Amino acid sequence: MPPGISYIIGNEAAERFNFYGMRAVLVVFMTRYLVNRSGARDTMSENEANQWYHWFVASNYFFPMIGAIISDAFWGKYRTIFWVSLAYCVGSIVLALDHTRLGLGLGLGLIALGAGGIKPCVSAHVGDQFGSDNQALLSRAFGWFYFSVNFGSFFSILLIPWLLENYGPGPAFGVPAGLMLIAAFVFWMGRYKFAHIPPGGKTFLRDTFNREGFSAIGRLAIIFVFVAIFWSLWDQSGGEWVLQAEKMDLHFVGINWLASQIQALNAIMILAFIPLFQYGIYPAIDKIFRLTPLRKIGSDSLSPAFPS
């Protein structure tokens, strides 16, 4: 396995711990813990909290378009991921220290900006570590990559709501902030271990933003119409469904679960299905006919759990 993979996986596990832990408690924080500058309660209605939540999620899918251009044209993947991770760290620290609407807006804005540089680059950065001599290991590396993503999110979705309920928003946002700092440090430690693909500069911009490039984007956009439908439903899990769960009986297997912790079910299913598909279903299918990456996408779509 390429030497840089462990640093990428360690970074991604910590970053996803931050993101999903913070996201899990966001609407609960806005409806129960938000204060004004004098320290008095200044909570939002459920509808207002959902609006803030969905604007934040939408920003996390908008900024990657900018981050991808910066990476491929100017900075390269490593520099883009590292520097926007620092903005991500600052945003997480702001959320931990400032529980007003100003702190909320500034913190979420910086986190969305950071995610915009990380999301389009990190998976491609994994692929850059592989060449023709070790291409056969690529699928296994991505399996461990997505396992780390959901391993981090699973524990954060269980822990962070418990911290919010018992110790308040400072520790609930502070622990993810600390993990994000660790994520950035781990990634920096691997700077000499990575294979670095240089940015394309003006050549990339010229070859991408022309008639042929826009035509290719238009053809791909058809796929994203269907992807958008899935994610518009999935992202209810951190907003409306959390608020709905607060009105339900959450006593199960002898435990009184918190509404925000229900989201951990998705990560549990993914952690179970990754080894099942990687070591069972995929090899079995591959014996019948060659399983290409596109065919894997088709088989993954039959699974009830999707990598986050």
Side-chain angles (χ1 to χ4, degrees), residues 208-276:
T208 301
F209 297 100
N210 54 30
R211 178 175 294 182
E212 184 179 348
F214 285 123
S215 176
I217 292 172
R219 292 192 296 272
L220 288 173
I222 298 173
I223 299 174
F224 285 98
V225 170
F226 299 98
V227 173
I229 294 172
F230 167 78
W231 285 108
S232 66
L233 293 173
W234 159 245
D235 279 315
Q236 308 299 316
S237 63
E240 286 84 348
W241 294 354
V242 170
L243 296 171
Q244 180 183 3
E246 288 195 315
K247 302 175 178 66
M248 300 171 64
D249 181 6
L250 299 179
H251 184 81
F252 182 66
V253 296
I255 300 175
N256 289 316
W257 300 93
L258 298 171
S260 301
Q261 292 176 322
I262 304 303
Q263 301 168 68
L265 287 173
N266 179 70
I268 293 172
M269 295 179 70
I270 293 174
L271 291 174
F273 273 86
I274 286 175
L276 175 63

Side-chain angles (χ1 to χ4, degrees), residues 38-159:
S38 64
R41 286 170 58 85
D42 186 27
T43 56
M44 297 181 183
S45 67
E46 291 187 357
N47 285 337
E48 187 179 7
N50 276 322
Q51 289 177 17
W52 275 72
Y53 169 79
H54 286 294
W55 275 114
F56 169 65
V57 172
S59 299
N60 277 269
Y61 292 110
F62 171 77
F63 284 116
M65 292 188 290
I66 299 175
I69 294 172
I70 292 174
S71 168
D72 290 344
F74 305 108
W75 288 1
K77 298 181 185 67
Y78 168 77
R79 290 178 62 198
T80 302
I81 295 171
F82 177 71
W83 288 110
V84 301
S85 291
L86 298 184
Y88 202 130
C89 291
V90 174
S92 299
I93 293 170
V94 170
L95 281 183
L97 298 178
D98 189 341
H99 305 144
T100 67
R101 296 188 183 219
L102 176 61
L104 177 69
L106 180 59
L108 294 182
L110 288 170
I111 290 172
L113 186 64
I118 294 173
K119 277 181 177 293
C121 298
V122 66
S123 295
H125 192 48
V126 172
D128 287 347
Q129 308 311 304
F130 292 84
S132 57
D133 58 333
N134 58 2
Q135 193 71 25
L137 297 174
L138 182 60
S139 178
R140 183 170 297 180
F142 269 108
W144 283 109
F145 174 78
Y146 284 117
F147 186 90
S148 73
V149 168
N150 291 282
F151 187 80
S153 67
F154 167 66
F155 283 103
S156 67
I157 292 172
L158 292 181
L159 175 62

Side-chain angles (χ1 to χ4, degrees), residues 32-44:
R32 290 171 53 185
Y33 294 92
L34 203 63
V35 298
N36 59 25
R37 280 295 164 193
S38 64
R41 286 170 58 85
D42 186 27
T43 56
M44 297 181 183

